[in-house]
Amino acid sequence: KVLMTEPSVELAKIAEEKLGESVLILKAQEISFDQEFDGVWAVASLIHVPPEDLLSVCQKLKAAVKIGGVIHASFLKGVGQPDTPEAIADGRYFNRASEERLRQMVAAVGGLRVVEDLSREQKNDYFGALAPSPTFGFFNLFLVREAK
């Protein structure tokens, strides 16, 4: 069984209509689960979490997965400088994180192992097309929960 979450009421409604499944309206900062899932798929979603909330959200994601469970998250490297957040004209917020910062965060959370051969930079993962600039890209982070 899959539990889908979406912070936007409008996008949640669209997803429910398209998928025929319920979507829980919930921000990443609001999740509160205790070892309920085998995995979390947070691809292109944590990029909207403000930097000051990212460590807490990662702690919550760790708590949500069972020991041995996996977390797959992707983070926007950005068109500008890594670790420089940006709000764009339509009001969306993007948290651009460097690989170094993400690895420091994983170490601070503790009890997570980075699967190195699955954690990597993607420069050509822009909806199946080439990136719009040489500095644009995602960093995919694949983690396994090893301990409490």
Side-chain angles (χ1 to χ4, degrees):
K1 177 123 174 101
V2 173
L3 173 69
M4 295 174 278
T5 65
E6 169 57 49
S8 164
V9 173
E10 296 82 12
L11 288 177
K13 286 180 185 176
I14 292 169
E16 287 179 341
E17 290 170 7
K18 296 240 182 228
L19 301 171
E21 298 284 339
S22 295
V23 176
L24 183 61
I25 298 167
L26 191 68
K27 290 181 179 178
Q29 296 92 319
E30 299 168 337
I31 66 169
S32 180
F33 300 101
D34 185 21
Q35 295 192 53
E36 294 184 42
F37 305 104
D38 295 315
V40 169
W41 189 66
V43 174
S45 56
L46 300 180
I47 61 175
H48 300 296
V49 173
E52 61 271 14
D53 295 340
L54 199 52
L55 178 60
S56 173
V57 167
C58 287
Q59 290 167 331
K60 290 175 184 227
L61 293 178
K62 175 191 167 190
V65 296
K66 300 171 185 173
I67 293 176
V70 298
I71 300 169
H72 179 194
S74 68
F75 297 87
L76 185 62
K77 290 183 65 179
V79 177
Q81 293 297 316
D83 295 325
T84 305
E86 175 183 25
I88 62 172
D90 67 3
R92 292 180 296 157
Y93 172 84
F94 290 90
N95 174 13
R96 298 185 299 222
S98 66
E99 179 179 346
E100 179 183 355
R101 180 166 162 250
L102 294 172
R103 289 182 180 275
Q104 289 170 349
M105 181 187 61
V106 168
V109 170
L112 294 169
R113 176 175 51 86
V114 177
V115 180
E116 292 296 340
D117 57 341
L118 296 176
S119 296
R120 64 188 176 279
E121 180 179 346
Q122 289 286 125
K123 289 191 179 205
N124 63 346
D125 195 13
Y126 188 69
F127 301 105
L130 293 176
S133 79
T135 58
F136 183 91
F138 289 90
F139 182 73
N140 291 294
L141 195 54
F142 196 88
L143 307 167
V144 176
R145 181 175 178 181
E146 294 191 321
K148 293 189 179 236

